[in-house]
Amino acid sequence: MAKPPLRVVQVLPELNAGGVERGTVEFAQFLVAQGHQSTVISAGGRLVPELTAQGSEHIAFPVHRKSLASLFKVRSLRRLLMQLAPDIVHVRSRVPAWMVWLALRGMPHAQRPALVSTFHGLYSINAYSAIMGCGDAVIAISECVREYILNNYPKVDPAKISLVHRGVDTDQFNTQCRPSTDWLAQFDREFPGLRQRPVLLMPGRLSRWKGQLEFIDLMAQLRAQNIAATGLIVGDITPGKDDYLGELKAKVAALGLDEQVKFLGHRSDMAQLYAISTLVCNLSQRPEPFGRTVIEAMAMGTPVVAYNVGGPAESLALALPQGLVATGDGQALLAKVAEFIASPPVPKQVPEFTLQTQAQKTLAIYQRLLVQTGNLNSTGGTE
């Protein structure tokens, strides 16, 4: 007997750029395709039109402010959740988690949905971050994150923690996906001559620990060895870090790399950029919880060079272990990138890192949780 549809509400601060936001939209699309009712609560953002076009509902609500004023919105959020009557509420960030947790505490038990929380990050270790362990089920997005939870939050029952790696939408990112003639023509008009050299892509939010400064050093070292290459730095500026972008551009100018290194800002055409790239770099200076760009690039068949730390290292260990270098070892990085430029390897395609696998595992957690709690609303649930 088929399981009846679920009402699922995902809650996160905003729907702008970022792996959490993109993953929320992709999972919402999966829910709709499976016949479930999908709602996302956030303060809004550039991904809202895409979300709603795919059949999900978006409700704008101020769940993004790291302020005590957010606590005054808890009662309104409780009323909203009672109107929506979801089977599952899935929280993906700390402020929304606190607001939802407080809202659910004030609900009659019979009307209270099951709560799922996902640790998307290696948060600072304190009582504020501990709320991410509040779920009836807790999802860790990598083994690195699972170990972080176990080591730092002993009050979280290990039996509640499930490992679900982030996954790539293989309809969008795959080895058969290639840029159209129009896209290539537009890119060449915008950046004349860049594709005539090997392209090194450095995607990720502009933040000092993400390694953009080290990437620029790498480009200078390649030039010094007479290895021609183009470097593309792609990503939004971290809010309040405009001075960092200025520092990056000043360094490029000082090294005379203006013709080799370009800043593309936020892009919505990442599949095309991966496709034209010879390789992708991930040079984060501290452990990342997962590293979405790493698995996106490898799903496209584009090799990745990354420091051997955190979530990206887990992904490469399974798909392209020869792409790992010791963290901060500039000479090893230079040698590996030169090797990959000369002879790019082909990453292994790992089913564990697909959206389909991620979504199915997450849905199975929902179903299992609802069976365990017996906490079903009238329109959703299990057999």
Side-chain angles (χ1 to χ4, degrees):
M1 179 179 174
K3 295 179 174 66
L6 299 177
R7 287 181 174 176
V8 178
V9 173
Q10 299 182 81
V11 192
L12 73 165
E14 296 176 304
L15 278 175
N16 285 307
V20 176
E21 294 87 340
R22 170 57 56 189
T24 299
V25 172
E26 290 175 346
F27 183 59
Q29 182 181 17
F30 170 85
L31 289 172
V32 171
Q34 295 294 309
H36 301 291
Q37 182 175 322
S38 167
T39 300
V40 174
I41 297 174
S42 83
R46 64 166 64 101
L47 292 177
V48 170
E50 180 180 345
L51 174 82
T52 55
Q54 294 168 354
S56 291
E57 177 186 19
H58 179 263
I59 298 175
F61 196 92
V63 288
H64 62 302
R65 297 193 185 99
K66 294 181 180 179
S67 165
L68 288 176
S70 295
L71 298 179
F72 294 105
K73 299 291 184 180
V74 167
R75 184 172 296 178
S76 297
L77 180 60
R78 180 182 300 127
R79 286 196 297 267
L80 173 60
L81 291 174
M82 291 181 71
Q83 290 168 6
L84 292 171
D87 297 293
I88 298 285
V89 177
H90 192 153
V91 293
R92 298 184 177 275
S93 187
R94 288 172 290 180
V95 170
W98 274 108
M99 294 178 70
V100 168
W101 183 73
L102 290 169
L104 297 188
R105 286 184 68 191
M107 277 191 190
H109 188 271
Q111 294 178 262
R112 195 177 302 169
L115 180 61
V116 176
S117 58
T118 292
F119 269 84
H120 282 282
L122 302 171
Y123 310 111
S124 54
I125 303 165
N126 50 40
Y128 170 58
S129 299
I131 193 63
M132 295 310 297
C134 69
D136 300 305
V138 177
I139 294 174
I141 66 170
S142 65
E143 181 59 34
C144 170
V145 171
R146 192 183 77 87
E147 291 178 2
Y148 157 84
I149 300 170
L150 292 173
N151 292 337
N152 297 293
Y153 295 99
K155 290 184 179 180
V156 179
D157 182 356
K160 295 199 307 183
I161 304 172
S162 296
L163 173 60
V164 182
H165 289 102
R166 300 300 85 187
V168 173
D169 182 354
T170 50
D171 289 337
Q172 182 179 1
F173 300 98
N174 61 73
T175 56
Q176 304 305 310
C177 177
R178 288 295 175 262
S180 67
T181 301
D182 288 345
W183 186 93
L184 291 171
Q186 174 60 36
F187 184 87
D188 289 341
R189 283 193 296 270
E190 190 175 358
F191 304 105
L194 290 193
R195 290 198 301 121
Q196 295 174 10
R197 302 185 293 267
V199 174
L200 277 58
L201 186 65
M202 179 69 180
R205 187 178 293 278
L206 300 188
S207 185
R208 192 173 299 277
W209 69 272
K210 286 282 193 175
Q212 287 91 8
L213 287 166
E214 288 72 19
F215 180 75
I216 295 169
D217 286 334
L218 169 66
M219 295 301 299
Q221 291 166 338
L222 289 169
R223 186 185 60 182
Q225 293 199 359
N226 295 314
I227 299 175
T230 289
L232 302 181
I233 297 177
V234 180
D236 270 337
I237 304 170
T238 300
K241 300 292 184 181
D242 292 25
D243 56 337
Y244 179 59
L245 176 58
E247 180 183 346
L248 293 172
K249 290 183 174 180
K251 182 167 187 172
V252 167
L255 292 172
L257 292 171
D258 297 271
E259 296 303 315
Q260 284 79 43
V261 177
K262 300 296 180 182
F263 295 87
L264 274 59
H266 170 77
R267 301 286 294 214
S268 57
D269 53 356
M270 289 305 301
Q272 290 84 352
L273 291 172
Y274 292 133
I276 66 167
S277 297
T278 306
L279 61 90
V280 170
C281 291
N282 183 295
L283 306 180
S284 295
Q285 306 296 295
R286 60 177 189 245
E288 281 193 79
F290 189 72
R292 183 182 183 86
T293 58
V294 169
I295 61 169
E296 287 179 345
M298 291 193 293
M300 298 285 298
T302 303
V304 175
V305 176
Y307 287 146
N308 191 8
V309 63
E314 289 182 40
S315 302
L316 260 70
L318 292 175
L320 190 68
Q322 63 268 42
L324 291 169
V325 297
T327 303
D329 189 336
Q331 289 305 306
L333 174 65
L334 175 61
K336 183 60 63 177
V337 168
E339 174 191 334
F340 278 19
I341 288 175
S343 181
V346 178
K348 178 183 177 182
Q349 299 301 309
V350 181
E352 191 68 16
F353 300 138
T354 65
L355 174 62
Q356 189 72 12
T357 298
Q358 174 203 329
Q360 288 174 345
K361 285 186 174 182
T362 303
L363 191 57
I365 290 169
Y366 290 176
Q367 299 284 5
R368 184 171 66 249
L369 180 59
L370 292 173
V371 169
Q372 290 171 351
T373 63
N375 195 5
L376 308 179
N377 290 311
S378 60
T379 60
T382 60
E383 297 175 298

CSV table of all heavy atoms in Angstrom, one decimal, residues 201-250:
chain,number,residue,atom,x,y,z
A,201,LEU,N,39.0,26.8,-11.7
A,201,LEU,CA,37.8,27.4,-11.1
A,201,LEU,C,37.9,27.4,-9.6
A,201,LEU,O,38.2,26.3,-9.0
A,201,LEU,CB,36.5,26.7,-11.6
A,201,LEU,CG,35.2,27.2,-11.1
A,201,LEU,CD1,34.9,28.6,-11.8
A,201,LEU,CD2,34.0,26.3,-11.5
A,202,MET,N,37.7,28.5,-8.9
A,202,MET,CA,37.7,28.6,-7.5
A,202,MET,C,36.3,29.1,-7.0
A,202,MET,O,36.1,30.3,-6.9
A,202,MET,CB,38.8,29.6,-7.1
A,202,MET,CG,38.9,29.8,-5.6
A,202,MET,SD,39.6,28.3,-4.7
A,202,MET,CE,39.6,28.9,-3.0
A,203,PRO,N,35.4,28.2,-6.8
A,203,PRO,CA,34.0,28.6,-6.4
A,203,PRO,C,33.9,28.6,-4.9
A,203,PRO,O,34.6,27.9,-4.1
A,203,PRO,CB,33.2,27.5,-7.0
A,203,PRO,CG,34.0,26.3,-6.9
A,203,PRO,CD,35.5,26.7,-7.1
A,204,GLY,N,33.1,29.5,-4.4
A,204,GLY,CA,32.8,29.6,-2.9
A,204,GLY,C,32.6,31.0,-2.5
A,204,GLY,O,33.1,31.9,-3.1
A,205,ARG,N,31.9,31.1,-1.4
A,205,ARG,CA,31.7,32.5,-0.8
A,205,ARG,C,33.0,33.1,-0.5
A,205,ARG,O,34.0,32.5,0.0
A,205,ARG,CB,30.9,32.4,0.5
A,205,ARG,CG,30.5,33.7,1.0
A,205,ARG,CD,29.6,33.6,2.3
A,205,ARG,NE,28.3,33.0,2.0
A,205,ARG,CZ,27.3,33.7,1.5
A,205,ARG,NH1,27.4,35.0,1.3
A,205,ARG,NH2,26.1,33.1,1.3
A,206,LEU,N,33.1,34.4,-0.8
A,206,LEU,CA,34.4,35.1,-0.6
A,206,LEU,C,34.6,35.4,0.9
A,206,LEU,O,33.9,36.2,1.5
A,206,LEU,CB,34.4,36.5,-1.3
A,206,LEU,CG,34.3,36.4,-2.9
A,206,LEU,CD1,34.5,37.8,-3.5
A,206,LEU,CD2,35.2,35.4,-3.5
A,207,SER,N,35.5,34.6,1.5
A,207,SER,CA,35.8,34.7,2.9
A,207,SER,C,37.2,34.3,3.1
A,207,SER,O,37.7,33.3,2.4
A,207,SER,CB,34.8,33.8,3.7
A,207,SER,OG,35.0,33.9,5.1
A,208,ARG,N,37.9,34.9,4.0
A,208,ARG,CA,39.4,34.7,4.1
A,208,ARG,C,39.7,33.2,4.3
A,208,ARG,O,40.7,32.7,3.7
A,208,ARG,CB,39.9,35.5,5.3
A,208,ARG,CG,41.4,35.6,5.3
A,208,ARG,CD,41.9,36.6,6.4
A,208,ARG,NE,41.4,37.9,6.1
A,208,ARG,CZ,42.0,38.8,5.3
A,208,ARG,NH1,43.1,38.4,4.6
A,208,ARG,NH2,41.5,40.0,5.1
A,209,TRP,N,39.0,32.5,5.1
A,209,TRP,CA,39.3,31.1,5.3
A,209,TRP,C,39.0,30.2,4.2
A,209,TRP,O,39.5,29.0,4.2
A,209,TRP,CB,38.6,30.6,6.6
A,209,TRP,CG,37.1,30.4,6.5
A,209,TRP,CD1,36.2,31.4,6.7
A,209,TRP,CD2,36.4,29.3,6.2
A,209,TRP,NE1,34.9,30.9,6.6
A,209,TRP,CE2,35.0,29.6,6.2
A,209,TRP,CE3,36.8,28.0,5.8
A,209,TRP,CZ2,34.1,28.6,5.9
A,209,TRP,CZ3,35.8,27.0,5.5
A,209,TRP,CH2,34.5,27.4,5.6
A,210,LYS,N,38.3,30.7,3.2
A,210,LYS,CA,38.0,29.8,2.0
A,210,LYS,C,39.2,29.7,1.1
A,210,LYS,O,39.1,28.8,0.2
A,210,LYS,CB,36.8,30.5,1.2
A,210,LYS,CG,35.5,30.3,1.9
A,210,LYS,CD,34.9,28.9,1.7
A,210,LYS,CE,33.4,28.8,2.1
A,210,LYS,NZ,32.8,27.5,1.8
A,211,GLY,N,40.2,30.5,1.2
A,211,GLY,CA,41.4,30.2,0.4
A,211,GLY,C,41.6,31.0,-0.9
A,211,GLY,O,42.5,30.6,-1.7
A,212,GLN,N,40.8,32.1,-1.1
A,212,GLN,CA,41.0,32.8,-2.3
A,212,GLN,C,42.4,33.4,-2.4
A,212,GLN,O,43.0,33.5,-3.5
A,212,GLN,CB,40.0,33.9,-2.5
A,212,GLN,CG,38.6,33.3,-2.8
A,212,GLN,CD,37.7,33.1,-1.6
A,212,GLN,OE1,38.1,33.4,-0.5
A,212,GLN,NE2,36.6,32.5,-1.8
A,213,LEU,N,43.0,33.9,-1.3
A,213,LEU,CA,44.3,34.4,-1.4
A,213,LEU,C,45.4,33.4,-1.8
A,213,LEU,O,46.3,33.7,-2.6
A,213,LEU,CB,44.7,35.0,0.0
A,213,LEU,CG,44.0,36.3,0.4
A,213,LEU,CD1,44.2,36.6,1.9
A,213,LEU,CD2,44.5,37.5,-0.4
A,214,GLU,N,45.2,32.2,-1.3
A,214,GLU,CA,46.1,31.1,-1.7
A,214,GLU,C,45.9,30.7,-3.1
A,214,GLU,O,46.9,30.4,-3.8
A,214,GLU,CB,45.8,29.9,-0.8
A,214,GLU,CG,46.3,30.0,0.7
A,214,GLU,CD,45.5,31.0,1.5
A,214,GLU,OE1,44.3,31.3,1.1
A,214,GLU,OE2,46.0,31.5,2.5
A,215,PHE,N,44.7,30.8,-3.6
A,215,PHE,CA,44.4,30.6,-5.0
A,215,PHE,C,45.2,31.6,-5.9
A,215,PHE,O,45.8,31.2,-7.0
A,215,PHE,CB,42.9,30.6,-5.3
A,215,PHE,CG,42.6,30.3,-6.8
A,215,PHE,CD1,42.6,29.0,-7.3
A,215,PHE,CD2,42.2,31.3,-7.6
A,215,PHE,CE1,42.3,28.8,-8.6
A,215,PHE,CE2,41.8,31.1,-8.9
A,215,PHE,CZ,41.9,29.8,-9.4
A,216,ILE,N,45.2,32.8,-5.5
A,216,ILE,CA,45.9,33.8,-6.3
A,216,ILE,C,47.4,33.6,-6.3
A,216,ILE,O,48.1,33.7,-7.3
A,216,ILE,CB,45.6,35.2,-5.7
A,216,ILE,CG1,44.1,35.6,-6.0
A,216,ILE,CG2,46.4,36.3,-6.4
A,216,ILE,CD1,43.6,36.8,-5.2
A,217,ASP,N,47.9,33.2,-5.1
A,217,ASP,CA,49.3,32.8,-5.0
A,217,ASP,C,49.6,31.6,-6.0
A,217,ASP,O,50.7,31.6,-6.7
A,217,ASP,CB,49.7,32.3,-3.6
A,217,ASP,CG,49.8,33.5,-2.6
A,217,ASP,OD1,50.1,34.6,-3.1
A,217,ASP,OD2,49.6,33.3,-1.4
A,218,LEU,N,48.7,30.6,-6.0
A,218,LEU,CA,48.9,29.5,-6.9
A,218,LEU,C,49.0,30.0,-8.4
A,218,LEU,O,49.8,29.5,-9.1
A,218,LEU,CB,47.7,28.5,-6.7
A,218,LEU,CG,47.6,27.4,-7.8
A,218,LEU,CD1,48.8,26.4,-7.7
A,218,LEU,CD2,46.2,26.7,-7.6
A,219,MET,N,48.1,30.9,-8.8
A,219,MET,CA,48.1,31.4,-10.1
A,219,MET,C,49.5,32.0,-10.5
A,219,MET,O,50.0,31.9,-11.6
A,219,MET,CB,47.0,32.3,-10.4
A,219,MET,CG,45.6,31.7,-10.3
A,219,MET,SD,45.3,30.4,-11.5
A,219,MET,CE,45.5,31.3,-13.0
A,220,ALA,N,50.0,32.8,-9.5
A,220,ALA,CA,51.3,33.4,-9.7
A,220,ALA,C,52.4,32.4,-9.8
A,220,ALA,O,53.3,32.5,-10.7
A,220,ALA,CB,51.6,34.4,-8.6
A,221,GLN,N,52.3,31.3,-9.0
A,221,GLN,CA,53.4,30.3,-9.1
A,221,GLN,C,53.3,29.5,-10.4
A,221,GLN,O,54.3,29.1,-11.0
A,221,GLN,CB,53.2,29.3,-7.9
A,221,GLN,CG,53.5,29.9,-6.6
A,221,GLN,CD,53.0,29.1,-5.4
A,221,GLN,OE1,52.1,28.3,-5.5
A,221,GLN,NE2,53.6,29.3,-4.2
A,222,LEU,N,52.1,29.3,-10.9
A,222,LEU,CA,52.0,28.6,-12.2
A,222,LEU,C,52.6,29.4,-13.3
A,222,LEU,O,53.3,28.9,-14.2
A,222,LEU,CB,50.5,28.4,-12.5
A,222,LEU,CG,49.8,27.3,-11.7
A,222,LEU,CD1,48.3,27.3,-11.9
A,222,LEU,CD2,50.3,25.9,-12.1
A,223,ARG,N,52.3,30.7,-13.3
A,223,ARG,CA,52.9,31.6,-14.3
A,223,ARG,C,54.5,31.6,-14.2
A,223,ARG,O,55.2,31.6,-15.2
A,223,ARG,CB,52.4,33.1,-14.1
A,223,ARG,CG,52.9,34.0,-15.2
A,223,ARG,CD,52.4,35.4,-14.9
A,223,ARG,NE,53.0,35.9,-13.6
A,223,ARG,CZ,52.7,37.1,-13.1
A,223,ARG,NH1,51.9,38.0,-13.8
A,223,ARG,NH2,53.2,37.5,-12.0
A,224,ALA,N,55.0,31.6,-13.0
A,224,ALA,CA,56.4,31.6,-12.8
A,224,ALA,C,57.0,30.3,-13.4
A,224,ALA,O,58.2,30.3,-13.7
A,224,ALA,CB,56.8,31.7,-11.3
A,225,GLN,N,56.3,29.2,-13.4
A,225,GLN,CA,56.7,28.0,-14.0
A,225,GLN,C,56.4,27.9,-15.5
A,225,GLN,O,56.5,26.8,-16.1
A,225,GLN,CB,56.2,26.8,-13.3
A,225,GLN,CG,56.8,26.7,-11.9
A,225,GLN,CD,56.6,25.3,-11.3
A,225,GLN,OE1,56.0,24.4,-11.9
A,225,GLN,NE2,57.1,25.1,-10.0
A,226,ASN,N,55.9,29.0,-16.1
A,226,ASN,CA,55.5,29.0,-17.5
A,226,ASN,C,54.4,28.1,-17.8
A,226,ASN,O,54.3,27.5,-18.9
A,226,ASN,CB,56.7,28.8,-18.4
A,226,ASN,CG,57.8,29.8,-18.3
A,226,ASN,OD1,57.5,31.0,-18.3
A,226,ASN,ND2,59.0,29.4,-18.2
A,227,ILE,N,53.5,27.9,-16.8
A,227,ILE,CA,52.3,27.1,-17.1
A,227,ILE,C,51.1,28.0,-17.3
A,227,ILE,O,50.7,28.7,-16.3
A,227,ILE,CB,52.0,26.1,-15.9
A,227,ILE,CG1,53.2,25.2,-15.7
A,227,ILE,CG2,50.7,25.4,-16.1
A,227,ILE,CD1,53.0,24.3,-14.5
A,228,ALA,N,50.6,28.1,-18.5
A,228,ALA,CA,49.6,29.1,-18.8
A,228,ALA,C,48.3,28.6,-18.2
A,228,ALA,O,47.9,27.4,-18.3
A,228,ALA,CB,49.4,29.2,-20.3
A,229,ALA,N,47.5,29.4,-17.6
A,229,ALA,CA,46.2,29.1,-17.0
A,229,ALA,C,45.4,30.3,-16.7
A,229,ALA,O,45.9,31.4,-16.5
A,229,ALA,CB,46.4,28.3,-15.7
A,230,THR,N,44.1,30.1,-16.7
A,230,THR,CA,43.1,31.2,-16.3
A,230,THR,C,42.5,30.8,-15.0
A,230,THR,O,42.1,29.6,-14.8
A,230,THR,CB,42.0,31.3,-17.4
A,230,THR,OG1,42.5,31.8,-18.6
A,230,THR,CG2,40.8,32.1,-16.9
A,231,GLY,N,42.4,31.8,-14.1
A,231,GLY,CA,41.7,31.5,-12.8
A,231,GLY,C,40.4,32.3,-12.7
A,231,GLY,O,40.4,33.5,-12.9
A,232,LEU,N,39.4,31.6,-12.4
A,232,LEU,CA,38.1,32.2,-12.2
A,232,LEU,C,37.6,32.0,-10.7
A,232,LEU,O,37.5,30.9,-10.2
A,232,LEU,CB,37.0,31.5,-13.1
A,232,LEU,CG,37.3,31.5,-14.6
A,232,LEU,CD1,36.2,30.8,-15.4
A,232,LEU,CD2,37.5,32.9,-15.1
A,233,ILE,N,37.5,33.2,-10.1
A,233,ILE,CA,37.0,33.2,-8.7
A,233,ILE,C,35.5,33.5,-8.7
A,233,ILE,O,35.1,34.6,-9.1
A,233,ILE,CB,37.8,34.2,-7.9
A,233,ILE,CG1,39.3,33.8,-7.8
A,233,ILE,CG2,37.2,34.3,-6.4
A,233,ILE,CD1,40.2,34.8,-7.1
A,234,VAL,N,34.7,32.6,-8.2
A,234,VAL,CA,33.3,32.7,-8.3
A,234,VAL,C,32.7,32.7,-6.9
A,234,VAL,O,33.0,31.8,-6.1
A,234,VAL,CB,32.7,31.6,-9.2
A,234,VAL,CG1,31.1,31.7,-9.3
A,234,VAL,CG2,33.3,31.5,-10.6
A,235,GLY,N,31.8,33.6,-6.6
A,235,GLY,CA,31.1,33.6,-5.3
A,235,GLY,C,30.7,34.9,-4.8
A,235,GLY,O,31.3,36.0,-5.2
A,236,ASP,N,29.7,34.9,-4.0
A,236,ASP,CA,29.2,36.1,-3.3
A,236,ASP,C,30.2,36.6,-2.3
A,236,ASP,O,31.0,35.8,-1.7
A,236,ASP,CB,27.9,35.9,-2.6
A,236,ASP,CG,26.7,36.1,-3.5
A,236,ASP,OD1,26.8,36.9,-4.5
A,236,ASP,OD2,25.6,35.6,-3.2
A,237,ILE,N,30.2,37.9,-2.0
A,237,ILE,CA,30.9,38.5,-0.9
A,237,ILE,C,30.2,38.1,0.4
A,237,ILE,O,29.0,38.3,0.6
A,237,ILE,CB,31.0,40.0,-1.0
A,237,ILE,CG1,31.7,40.4,-2.3
A,237,ILE,CG2,31.9,40.6,0.2
A,237,ILE,CD1,31.6,41.9,-2.6
A,238,THR,N,31.0,37.6,1.4
A,238,THR,CA,30.4,37.4,2.8
A,238,THR,C,29.9,38.8,3.3
A,238,THR,O,30.6,39.8,3.2
A,238,THR,CB,31.4,36.8,3.7
A,238,THR,OG1,31.8,35.6,3.2
A,238,THR,CG2,30.8,36.6,5.1
A,239,PRO,N,28.7,38.9,3.8
A,239,PRO,CA,28.2,40.2,4.3
A,239,PRO,C,29.1,40.9,5.2
A,239,PRO,O,29.6,40.2,6.2
A,239,PRO,CB,26.8,39.8,5.0
A,239,PRO,CG,26.4,38.5,4.2
A,239,PRO,CD,27.7,37.8,3.9
A,240,GLY,N,29.4,42.1,5.0
A,240,GLY,CA,30.3,42.9,5.8
A,240,GLY,C,31.8,42.7,5.5
A,240,GLY,O,32.6,43.2,6.2
A,241,LYS,N,32.1,42.0,4.4
A,241,LYS,CA,33.5,41.7,4.1
A,241,LYS,C,33.9,42.3,2.7
A,241,LYS,O,34.7,41.8,2.0
A,241,LYS,CB,33.7,40.2,4.0
A,241,LYS,CG,33.4,39.4,5.3
A,241,LYS,CD,34.4,39.8,6.4
A,241,LYS,CE,34.1,39.0,7.6
A,241,LYS,NZ,35.1,39.3,8.7
A,242,ASP,N,33.3,43.4,2.4
A,242,ASP,CA,33.6,44.1,1.1
A,242,ASP,C,35.1,44.4,1.0
A,242,ASP,O,35.7,44.4,-0.1
A,242,ASP,CB,32.8,45.4,1.0
A,242,ASP,CG,31.3,45.1,0.8
A,242,ASP,OD1,30.9,44.1,1.2
A,242,ASP,OD2,30.7,46.0,0.2
A,243,ASP,N,35.7,44.7,2.2
A,243,ASP,CA,37.2,45.0,2.2
A,243,ASP,C,38.0,43.8,1.8
A,243,ASP,O,39.1,44.0,1.2
A,243,ASP,CB,37.6,45.5,3.6
A,243,ASP,CG,37.3,44.5,4.7
A,243,ASP,OD1,36.4,43.7,4.5
A,243,ASP,OD2,37.9,44.6,5.8
A,244,TYR,N,37.5,42.6,2.0
A,244,TYR,CA,38.2,41.4,1.6
A,244,TYR,C,38.3,41.3,0.0
A,244,TYR,O,39.3,41.0,-0.5
A,244,TYR,CB,37.6,40.2,2.2
A,244,TYR,CG,38.3,38.9,1.8
A,244,TYR,CD1,39.7,38.7,2.1
A,244,TYR,CD2,37.6,37.9,1.1
A,244,TYR,CE1,40.3,37.5,1.7
A,244,TYR,CE2,38.2,36.7,0.8
A,244,TYR,CZ,39.6,36.5,1.1
A,244,TYR,OH,40.2,35.3,0.7
A,245,LEU,N,37.2,41.6,-0.6
A,245,LEU,CA,37.2,41.6,-2.1
A,245,LEU,C,38.2,42.6,-2.6
A,245,LEU,O,38.9,42.4,-3.6
A,245,LEU,CB,35.8,41.9,-2.6
A,245,LEU,CG,35.7,42.1,-4.1
A,245,LEU,CD1,36.1,40.8,-4.8
A,245,LEU,CD2,34.2,42.4,-4.5
A,246,GLY,N,38.2,43.8,-2.0
A,246,GLY,CA,39.2,44.8,-2.4
A,246,GLY,C,40.6,44.3,-2.2
A,246,GLY,O,41.5,44.6,-3.0
A,247,GLU,N,40.9,43.6,-1.1
A,247,GLU,CA,42.2,43.0,-0.9
A,247,GLU,C,42.6,42.0,-1.9
A,247,GLU,O,43.7,42.0,-2.4
A,247,GLU,CB,42.2,42.4,0.5
A,247,GLU,CG,43.6,41.8,0.9
A,247,GLU,CD,43.5,41.1,2.3
A,247,GLU,OE1,42.5,41.3,3.0
A,247,GLU,OE2,44.5,40.3,2.6
A,248,LEU,N,41.6,41.2,-2.3
A,248,LEU,CA,41.9,40.2,-3.3
A,248,LEU,C,42.2,40.8,-4.7
A,248,LEU,O,43.2,40.5,-5.3
A,248,LEU,CB,40.7,39.3,-3.5
A,248,LEU,CG,40.3,38.3,-2.4
A,248,LEU,CD1,39.0,37.6,-2.6
A,248,LEU,CD2,41.4,37.3,-2.1
A,249,LYS,N,41.4,41.8,-5.0
A,249,LYS,CA,41.7,42.5,-6.3
A,249,LYS,C,43.0,43.3,-6.3
A,249,LYS,O,43.7,43.3,-7.3
A,249,LYS,CB,40.6,43.5,-6.6
A,249,LYS,CG,39.2,42.8,-7.0
A,249,LYS,CD,38.1,43.7,-7.3
A,249,LYS,CE,36.9,43.0,-7.8
A,249,LYS,NZ,35.8,43.9,-8.2
A,250,ALA,N,43.4,43.8,-5.1
A,250,ALA,CA,44.6,44.5,-5.0
A,250,ALA,C,45.8,43.5,-5.2
A,250,ALA,O,46.8,43.9,-5.8
A,250,ALA,CB,44.7,45.2,-3.7
